[in-house]
């Protein structure tokens, strides 16, 4: 286990309602201990951010699922980093594979969003990962590194180090098919070793989360890998019970179990 603080991040995607948000916040307030040795964050849709920020337990962080690459202006339907920071957000996802695929976000656009997040004091969570086809044709490392390199080229290693990385193999997202702990560790270790070529301290300090069908039953094994510093959880973050089951595994590891 590393000394990096684990992060359990719930990506609610386009799910929920105001009632769902209120109930989740009440449940987390009851179920989470007030002092935790790991971080917890939730990522609701834009229109639920305000409710989460106003009702969340103090120890829970709140993030958006996306942000604009622009500061402001005639960009109908977009939300800027400045607005998210103004609302009280702490974090923001950038480059989730669903946005890369469905909204055709390029590595360069994702890099601009990463920079925007930092500009307004938000912690960007940069999501990277290969498709099944890319894995089968041995391109995993190339694809993942190209996604990170684009950000590195734009902001440099110091700034990259202010964010969080999330390795999410596309074939494991929402499919019930989790990467094995060894598969996750292999890619996490690769990322860290590449970063070390730029800055050894930052490579050791940066948190790299795993995402893709992570749940209570596999979280402990995944999080106990040397280079896995927590999880980005989709489906299993949609009920307080499932999400708490993962938090409890993070808690055990944070106690040095
Ligand atoms: P999943 O989603 O846990 O439902 O696989 C993870 C994600 O897309 O962040």
């Amino acid at each position: 286990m590393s000394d990096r603080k684990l992060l359990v991040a719930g990506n609610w995607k386009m799910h929920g309602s105001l009632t769902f948000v209120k109930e989740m916040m009440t449940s987390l307030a009851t179920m989470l201990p007030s002092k935790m040795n790991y971080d917890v964050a939730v990522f609701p849709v834009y229109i639920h951010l305000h409710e989460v920020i106003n009702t969340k337990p103090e120890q829970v962080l709140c993030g958006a699922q996306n942000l604009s690459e622009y500061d402001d202006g005639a960009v109908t339907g977009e939300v800027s980093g400045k607005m998210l920071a103004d609302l009280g957000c702490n974090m923001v996802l950038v480059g989730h594979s669903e946005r890369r695929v469905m909204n055709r976000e390029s590595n360069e656009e994702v890099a601009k969003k990463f920079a925007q997040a930092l500009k307004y004091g938000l912690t960007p969570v940069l999501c990277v990962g290969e498709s099944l086809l890319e894995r089968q044709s041995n391109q995993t490392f190339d694809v993942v590194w190209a996604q990170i390199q684009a950000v590195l080229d734009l902001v440099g290693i110091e700034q990259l180090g202010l964010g969080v990385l999330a390795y999410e193999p596309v074939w494991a997202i929402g499919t019930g098919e989790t990467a094995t702990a060894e598969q996750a560790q292999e890619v996490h270790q690769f990322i860290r070793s590449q970063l070390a070529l730029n800055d050894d301290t930052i490579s050791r300090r940066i948190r790299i989360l795993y995402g893709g069908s992570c749940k209570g039953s596999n979280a402990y094994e995944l999080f106990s890998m040397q280079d896995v510093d927590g999880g980005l959880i989709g489906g299993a973050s949609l009920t307080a019970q499932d999400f708490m089951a993962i938090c409890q595994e993070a808690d055990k590891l944070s106690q040095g179990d």
Side-chain angles (χ1 to χ4, degrees):
M1 261 301 289
S2 72
D3 53 5
R4 295 174 295 273
K5 208 175 182 192
L6 290 175
L7 169 61
V8 180
N11 172 12
W12 291 345
K13 309 193 179 186
M14 201 172 72
H15 292 292
S17 61
L18 272 178
T19 307
F20 163 84
V21 169
K22 286 185 215 287
E23 286 173 1
M24 276 297 271
M25 289 306 111
T26 310
S27 303
L28 292 186
T30 324
M31 294 162 104
L32 282 172
S34 55
K35 285 227 164 20
M36 307 186 310
N37 295 320
Y38 57 98
D39 290 322
V40 172
V42 293
F43 295 78
V45 291
Y46 284 140
I47 59 165
H48 294 157
L49 283 169
H50 193 252
E51 182 67 23
V52 169
I53 289 164
N54 284 306
T55 58
K56 70 181 182 60
E58 205 183 331
Q59 67 274 37
V60 173
L61 300 165
C62 179
Q65 298 173 13
N66 179 39
L67 82 169
S68 168
E69 64 187 85
Y70 303 106
D71 281 318
D72 49 38
V75 203
T76 304
E78 293 291 314
V79 174
S80 72
K82 192 174 174 180
M83 292 165 179
L84 295 175
D86 185 38
L87 199 64
C89 278
N90 313 101
M91 313 181 94
V92 60
L93 302 181
V94 296
H96 190 280
S97 65
E98 284 149 19
R99 295 204 59 86
R100 290 181 189 267
V101 173
M102 293 176 183
N103 300 73
R104 297 196 171 78
E105 287 189 12
S106 66
N107 288 349
E108 291 67 33
E109 262 173 83
V110 170
K112 285 184 197 161
K113 292 182 178 204
F114 189 98
Q116 281 297 108
L118 290 179
K119 181 172 175 185
Y120 294 106
L122 301 162
T123 302
V125 180
L126 172 64
C127 306
V128 299
E130 81 289 0
S131 66
L132 184 58
L133 213 64
E134 288 162 344
R135 172 161 284 263
Q136 285 167 342
S137 52
N138 285 326
Q139 293 179 69
T140 298
F141 287 171
D142 290 344
V143 168
V144 164
W145 187 249
Q147 291 170 337
I148 297 172
Q149 182 77 59
V151 178
L152 205 49
D153 287 347
L154 185 70
V155 304
I157 186 71
E158 292 283 331
Q159 297 271 299
L160 181 73
L162 298 175
V164 172
L165 300 178
Y167 169 57
E168 298 203 302
V170 180
W171 48 272
I173 295 178
T175 58
E177 192 178 338
T178 320
T180 62
E182 290 72 26
Q183 283 173 322
Q185 168 60 19
E186 187 188 27
V187 179
H188 285 228
Q189 189 178 33
F190 164 75
I191 294 171
R192 221 181 279 287
S193 65
Q194 288 298 110
L195 292 174
L197 301 175
N198 293 271
D199 188 305
D200 193 42
T201 311
I202 290 173
S203 81
R204 276 186 276 118
R205 203 182 52 206
I206 196 165
R207 292 194 281 194
I208 311 178
L209 312 181
Y210 167 79
S213 301
C214 182
K215 44 189 180 279
S217 56
N218 57 30
Y220 188 91
E221 203 190 349
L222 285 161
F223 298 175
S224 59
M225 300 311 282
Q226 172 80 29
D227 292 299
V228 178
D229 307 312
L232 182 53
I233 327 293
S237 70
L238 292 173
T239 68
Q241 213 177 6
D242 289 345
F243 194 49
M244 277 308 299
I246 299 172
C247 291
Q248 274 154 12
E249 301 307 320
D251 188 53
K252 280 187 210 160
L253 283 156
S254 303
Q255 309 291 342
D257 202 0

